[in-house]
Amino acid sequence: MEKSLQKEKAERFRALHSRGRILILPNAWDVPSARVFEDSGFPAVATSSAGMMVSLGYPDGESIPRDLYLSAVRRISNSLSIPLSVDAVSGFGETPVEIESTIRGIIESGGIGINIEDYLTRSDSLRSLDTAVERIKLIKKFGEKFDVPLVINGRTDALRHAPGSDEERLKEAILRAKAFRDAGADCVYPMGLTDATSIETFVKELDYPTNVMVRRGLPPIRELERLGVARVSFGPSASYAAMGLLKRVSREIIEEGTYNSLVEGAITFDELNKLASPHNI
Amino acid sequence: MEKSLQKEKAERFRALHSRGRILILPNAWDVPSARVFEDSGFPAVATSSAGMMVSLGYPDGESIPRDLYLSAVRRISNSLSIPLSVDAVSGFGETPVEIESTIRGIIESGGIGINIEDYLTRSDSLRSLDTAVERIKLIKKFGEKFDVPLVINGRTDALRHAPGSDEERLKEAILRAKAFRDAGADCVYPMGLTDATSIETFVKELDYPTNVMVRRGLPPIRELERLGVARVSFGPSASYAAMGLLKRVSREIIEEGTYNSLVEGAITFDELNKLASPHNI
């Protein structure tokens, strides 16, 4: 991607986080899922790491080879005209040199936003706050080095993985998100924040752009907007939905011998094929 | 894959084409779509070339680099314990040497069945019957050379692309399918055969395992069985259905601000993640 276009996309994406209007950010797992989202009118798309990794045969986490992951990011980015934010999981590496490789790879693959989380799948535990904060600073630095003003979404998994009661975990999530904010993240993302009361507490405490994820029980968009949420992302839920549909399709054809769930509401061959055509940018 | 296992899978797949009981063959576009089908109880899975190619950012046809296509075939094959049949489109090449590379690549990627069609996307026309027949003979020969008794599904697009009236095109499809049968195909596949009357005519004329594809208007499984159809495949319809779902999801969240179509009937994170775990074979 032309560097000037990539920088413009990063700034365009950053501006979508301004207060007042919520950003609805769908997460895709491949080219056509991303293109359906663009064609539906969303102003930006993000990758779902779980969706993409499982699609490529790897579980969520960092067991997928980085280059295989990035090649899929690049295919998605090449197919879109709107900004693409990329999930860097927990950084794909431990040293600053490895973080630099990850960020350079994402930028070379067309990404303009980064999700970085403080949870490590392989140890099933949270990073120390210092380490997590250091990563956000490094990502900001490498974005500047490679001349793309990356939009950094700092995710904490404290609500799921910190010790203590629900209240203590919420406190830890707020503490970590404030540290991410102060380290230069453009948006903070407390994974698992779902109910209106906790969202309200969190957003008031942070007073900073906050990302929540769609899941059963999340208040509707209008309510999220009232609560001051800046951005709501799909996470892997588009993959959950698509695979749920394939389970229903399978059950219907095996048990009933019919194809209603396979053909009702489906797109056509020409529509599918167009999702792979080069996009006018 | 162990050669002995691969040979056994080919024979297991071949045996599924015996008269009496229809084979329902779902076509997948990536690892989790294939795994949902295996876990749902189908005895075999096939690739959807359109589904896979579009998923990787290429339109249906042969514009995708062969190695990129085969790497996706291999990921799917590695994730399954049941047989995988692979769509070789029109052969990915013109010379016997190129066909040999395609077949070797598919076998090395774990495929035990081949779909080969007589339609060339890039010229939007049918191959000559002689050329099409020659390809089936070559595929059979290369399967023997690489020691896997490939199950060959000979597809003709005469119903869509031959000249003349509906009746003349059906005659041409029958003529071609008979030639494919006599050249060593294990199953014949008249693309576009949908109505019961034409299916009945075709199956009676051929007296040979016949594949039809799911589409709106196809008779239900029980009726296909009565008509003597040996195999019914999904084609790219799982991709059509999944992308249709994402369009509804998008419209609902943009217009209504709600997430019902995204969360109703969806699988969970753990279920998704398991679709990428190594399968016990």
Side-chain angles (χ1 to χ4, degrees):
Chain A
M1 192 183 307
E2 288 280 331
K3 188 54 70 76
S4 60
L5 175 61
Q6 194 165 8
K7 290 166 80 165
E8 185 274 314
K9 281 184 170 184
E11 291 304 356
R12 201 193 320 165
F13 187 54
R14 180 169 281 106
L16 292 168
H17 293 73
S18 62
R19 302 295 176 87
R21 185 147 189 217
I22 197 168
L23 167 61
I24 307 173
L25 186 63
N27 298 72
W29 71 80
D30 66 1
V31 168
S33 54
R35 280 291 294 274
V36 165
F37 292 140
E38 166 154 6
D39 295 351
S40 294
F42 293 103
V45 167
T47 64
S48 158
S49 61
M52 284 176 60
M53 290 171 183
V54 173
S55 172
L56 295 164
Y58 292 82
D60 191 29
E62 297 181 354
S63 66
I64 191 170
R66 183 164 51 191
D67 285 351
L68 179 61
Y69 182 68
L70 290 176
S71 66
V73 170
R74 189 181 312 236
R75 289 193 295 268
I76 294 175
S77 167
N78 285 344
S79 80
L80 296 175
S81 68
I82 55 178
L84 177 68
S85 185
V86 177
D87 191 345
V89 205
S90 193
F92 275 103
E94 293 309 308
T95 65
V97 170
E98 288 174 311
I99 307 290
E100 180 171 355
S101 292
T102 300
I103 299 307
R104 191 181 54 236
I106 289 175
I107 288 176
E108 286 173 357
S109 303
I112 53 76
I114 303 279
N115 258 41
I116 181 79
E117 68 192 56
D118 62 2
Y119 170 70
L120 249 184
T121 301
R122 64 178 168 278
S123 62
D124 190 26
S125 63
L126 292 178
R127 291 186 185 277
S128 75
L129 181 52
D130 282 353
T131 315
V133 162
E134 185 58 26
R135 285 178 174 242
I136 287 175
K137 289 183 181 164
L138 284 171
I139 292 171
K140 200 172 167 65
K141 182 179 121 186
F142 295 132
E144 284 160 7
K145 177 171 176 182
F146 299 120
D147 202 21
V148 174
L150 294 170
V151 178
I152 302 170
N153 191 31
R155 165 177 154 182
T156 175
D157 282 40
L159 284 170
R160 302 192 307 164
H161 294 284
S165 65
D166 284 1
E167 202 183 335
E168 287 166 314
R169 287 200 296 270
L170 181 57
K171 263 181 88 171
E172 179 69 16
I174 289 170
L175 177 81
R176 285 179 170 241
K178 281 182 176 171
F180 297 168
R181 173 194 71 190
D182 298 341
D186 299 275
C187 188
V188 293
Y189 178 14
M191 168 57 72
L193 194 71
T194 306
D195 69 283
T197 312
S198 307
I199 293 174
E200 187 159 33
T201 304
F202 187 95
V203 170
K204 274 201 179 132
E205 278 283 341
L206 264 289
D207 192 28
Y208 204 67
T210 298
N211 187 124
V212 299
M213 188 184 94
V214 170
R215 50 189 289 179
R216 196 178 290 276
L218 187 74
I221 298 294
R222 213 162 308 163
E223 174 74 356
L224 294 179
E225 236 167 357
R226 196 190 63 73
L227 295 168
V229 170
R231 155 171 159 181
V232 53
S233 55
F234 285 17
S237 53
S239 295
Y240 304 160
M243 294 305 121
L245 172 62
L246 294 198
K247 281 180 74 173
R248 293 194 295 284
V249 159
S250 300
R251 199 162 47 229
E252 183 193 338
I253 198 166
I254 289 173
E255 293 179 8
E256 312 291 333
T258 53
Y259 330 101
N260 297 323
S261 51
L262 200 48
V263 300
E264 294 301 336
I267 66 170
T268 64
F269 174 81
D270 287 341
E271 286 178 283
L272 181 72
N273 227 20
K274 267 192 201 136
L275 297 174
S277 64
H279 206 286
N280 291 326
I281 55 175
Chain B
M1 193 183 307
E2 287 280 332
K3 188 53 71 72
S4 60
L5 175 61
Q6 193 166 9
K7 290 167 81 164
E8 185 274 314
K9 281 186 171 184
E11 291 304 354
R12 200 192 319 166
F13 186 55
R14 180 170 281 105
L16 293 168
H17 293 74
S18 62
R19 300 295 176 88
R21 189 156 184 209
I22 197 168
L23 167 61
I24 307 173
L25 186 62
N27 298 71
W29 73 81
D30 65 2
V31 168
S33 55
R35 281 292 294 274
V36 165
F37 293 139
E38 167 155 5
D39 295 351
S40 295
F42 294 102
V45 167
T47 64
S48 158
S49 61
M52 283 177 61
M53 290 170 183
V54 172
S55 173
L56 295 165
Y58 291 83
D60 192 28
E62 296 180 354
S63 66
I64 192 171
R66 181 166 52 193
D67 285 351
L68 178 62
Y69 182 69
L70 290 176
S71 66
V73 169
R74 188 180 313 234
R75 289 192 295 267
I76 294 174
S77 167
N78 285 344
S79 79
L80 296 174
S81 68
I82 55 178
L84 177 68
S85 185
V86 177
D87 190 346
V89 203
S90 194
F92 275 103
E94 293 309 307
T95 66
V97 170
E98 288 173 311
I99 307 290
E100 181 171 355
S101 292
T102 300
I103 299 307
R104 191 181 52 236
I106 288 174
I107 288 175
E108 287 173 356
S109 305
I112 53 74
I114 303 279
N115 258 40
I116 181 79
E117 68 192 55
D118 63 1
Y119 170 71
L120 249 184
T121 301
R122 63 178 170 277
S123 62
D124 189 26
S125 63
L126 293 178
R127 290 186 185 279
S128 76
L129 182 52
D130 282 353
T131 315
V133 162
E134 185 59 26
R135 286 179 173 240
I136 288 175
K137 290 181 179 163
L138 285 171
I139 292 170
K140 199 170 168 64
K141 183 178 120 187
F142 295 132
E144 284 159 7
K145 177 171 176 182
F146 301 118
D147 202 22
V148 174
L150 295 169
V151 179
I152 302 170
N153 191 31
R155 165 176 153 181
T156 175
D157 283 41
L159 285 170
R160 302 191 308 163
H161 294 284
S165 65
D166 284 1
E167 203 184 332
E168 287 165 314
R169 287 199 295 268
L170 180 58
K171 266 182 84 170
E172 179 69 16
I174 289 169
L175 177 81
R176 286 180 168 239
K178 283 181 174 170
F180 296 168
R181 173 194 71 191
D182 298 341
D186 299 275
C187 187
V188 293
Y189 179 14
M191 168 57 71
L193 195 70
T194 307
D195 70 282
T197 312
S198 307
I199 294 174
E200 187 158 34
T201 304
F202 187 95
V203 170
K204 277 202 177 130
E205 278 282 341
L206 265 289
D207 193 26
Y208 204 67
T210 298
N211 186 124
V212 299
M213 187 183 96
V214 170
R215 50 188 290 178
R216 196 177 290 276
L218 187 75
I221 298 294
R222 212 162 309 165
E223 173 74 356
L224 293 179
E225 234 165 0
R226 197 190 62 74
L227 294 168
V229 171
R231 157 171 156 179
V232 52
S233 54
F234 284 17
S237 53
S239 296
Y240 304 161
M243 294 303 121
L245 172 62
L246 294 198
K247 281 179 72 173
R248 293 194 295 284
V249 159
S250 301
R251 201 165 43 229
E252 184 193 338
I253 198 167
I254 289 173
E255 292 178 8
E256 312 290 333
T258 52
Y259 329 103
N260 298 322
S261 51
L262 200 48
V263 300
E264 294 301 336
I267 66 170
T268 64
F269 175 80
D270 286 342
E271 286 179 283
L272 181 72
N273 226 20
K274 267 193 201 135
L275 297 174
S277 64
H279 206 284
N280 291 325
I281 54 173

